[in-house]
Amino acid sequence: MSLADDYDVDVTFYHRDGTIYADTRAGAGEPLLALLDALGLDRYQAEGDVWHQIPDEMDEIAMKALADQAAPLLARAGYRVDIDAGLFGGTAYRAALAEQAAHRPAPPPTPPAAQARRTR
């Protein structure tokens, strides 16, 4: 079980001990893992657990910028993303939420009879 599983998302970004992690669901598919690789995150694996993190050799500003750019790209690719809002001041978090909302199906239109009842 991973943090992403706990939050019911595909990827969760969080900060711990000076490192920014991108935790994926247990058993995440290779397309998601490869996308995180392509975005510049380092992949690690131990005892069947797979996770990504922003490269440690980056300075803190570059680490945050990389994660801030990756989150909306993941959301645009259809993945559900959770971000520790304190990590980026909420910028990437709001962008990821907006991107996910843009890909949700629109609610069905209200029937004219229901509209008429509301105006009375």
Side-chain angles (χ1 to χ4, degrees), residues 110-120:
T110 306
Q115 289 176 350
R117 277 181 272 169
R118 276 193 246 155
T119 59
R120 292 183 190 163

Short mmCIF file of all heavy atoms in Angstrom, two decimals, residues 110-120:
data_model
loop_
_atom_site.label_atom_id
_atom_site.label_comp_id
_atom_site.label_asym_id
_atom_site.label_seq_id
_atom_site.Cartn_x
_atom_site.Cartn_y
_atom_site.Cartn_z
N THR A 110 -30.01 20.57 -17.74
CA THR A 110 -31.24 20.55 -16.95
C THR A 110 -32.44 20.58 -17.89
O THR A 110 -32.49 21.40 -18.80
CB THR A 110 -31.29 21.77 -16.02
OG1 THR A 110 -30.09 21.79 -15.27
CG2 THR A 110 -32.47 21.70 -15.09
N PRO A 111 -33.41 19.67 -17.71
CA PRO A 111 -34.59 19.68 -18.58
C PRO A 111 -35.35 21.01 -18.44
O PRO A 111 -35.36 21.60 -17.36
CB PRO A 111 -35.43 18.53 -18.07
CG PRO A 111 -34.61 17.79 -17.07
CD PRO A 111 -33.44 18.62 -16.73
N PRO A 112 -35.99 21.49 -19.51
CA PRO A 112 -36.71 22.77 -19.46
C PRO A 112 -37.77 22.82 -18.34
O PRO A 112 -37.95 23.86 -17.71
CB PRO A 112 -37.38 22.87 -20.83
CG PRO A 112 -36.55 21.99 -21.71
CD PRO A 112 -36.00 20.90 -20.83
N ALA A 113 -38.43 21.72 -18.05
CA ALA A 113 -39.45 21.72 -17.00
C ALA A 113 -38.82 22.02 -15.64
O ALA A 113 -39.39 22.76 -14.83
CB ALA A 113 -40.17 20.38 -16.96
N ALA A 114 -37.65 21.50 -15.39
CA ALA A 114 -36.96 21.77 -14.12
C ALA A 114 -36.52 23.21 -14.04
O ALA A 114 -36.55 23.83 -12.99
CB ALA A 114 -35.77 20.82 -13.96
N GLN A 115 -36.11 23.78 -15.17
CA GLN A 115 -35.71 25.19 -15.19
C GLN A 115 -36.90 26.08 -14.86
O GLN A 115 -36.78 27.04 -14.12
CB GLN A 115 -35.13 25.56 -16.55
CG GLN A 115 -33.78 24.94 -16.80
CD GLN A 115 -33.27 25.25 -18.20
OE1 GLN A 115 -34.00 25.77 -19.05
NE2 GLN A 115 -32.03 24.90 -18.45
N ALA A 116 -38.07 25.74 -15.41
CA ALA A 116 -39.27 26.54 -15.17
C ALA A 116 -39.66 26.52 -13.70
O ALA A 116 -40.06 27.53 -13.13
CB ALA A 116 -40.43 26.04 -16.03
N ARG A 117 -39.51 25.36 -13.06
CA ARG A 117 -39.85 25.26 -11.63
C ARG A 117 -38.93 26.13 -10.78
O ARG A 117 -39.35 26.67 -9.79
CB ARG A 117 -39.75 23.81 -11.16
CG ARG A 117 -41.00 23.02 -11.46
CD ARG A 117 -40.84 21.63 -10.96
NE ARG A 117 -40.21 20.96 -12.10
CZ ARG A 117 -39.67 19.77 -12.10
NH1 ARG A 117 -39.65 19.06 -11.01
NH2 ARG A 117 -39.16 19.24 -13.15
N ARG A 118 -37.66 26.26 -11.18
CA ARG A 118 -36.73 27.05 -10.40
C ARG A 118 -37.02 28.55 -10.45
O ARG A 118 -36.69 29.26 -9.55
CB ARG A 118 -35.29 26.81 -10.88
CG ARG A 118 -34.69 25.59 -10.27
CD ARG A 118 -33.22 25.58 -10.51
NE ARG A 118 -32.98 24.46 -11.39
CZ ARG A 118 -31.97 24.33 -12.20
NH1 ARG A 118 -31.07 25.25 -12.28
NH2 ARG A 118 -31.83 23.28 -12.95
N THR A 119 -37.63 28.99 -11.54
CA THR A 119 -37.88 30.42 -11.70
C THR A 119 -39.15 30.88 -11.00
O THR A 119 -39.41 32.06 -10.91
CB THR A 119 -37.94 30.81 -13.19
OG1 THR A 119 -38.97 30.07 -13.81
CG2 THR A 119 -36.61 30.56 -13.87
N ARG A 120 -39.94 29.99 -10.52
CA ARG A 120 -41.19 30.35 -9.86
C ARG A 120 -41.02 30.63 -8.41
O ARG A 120 -40.23 30.25 -7.70
CB ARG A 120 -42.22 29.23 -10.03
CG ARG A 120 -42.64 29.11 -11.46
CD ARG A 120 -43.70 28.07 -11.58
NE ARG A 120 -43.89 27.83 -12.99
CZ ARG A 120 -44.50 26.80 -13.46
NH1 ARG A 120 -44.96 25.86 -12.67
NH2 ARG A 120 -44.65 26.64 -14.73
#
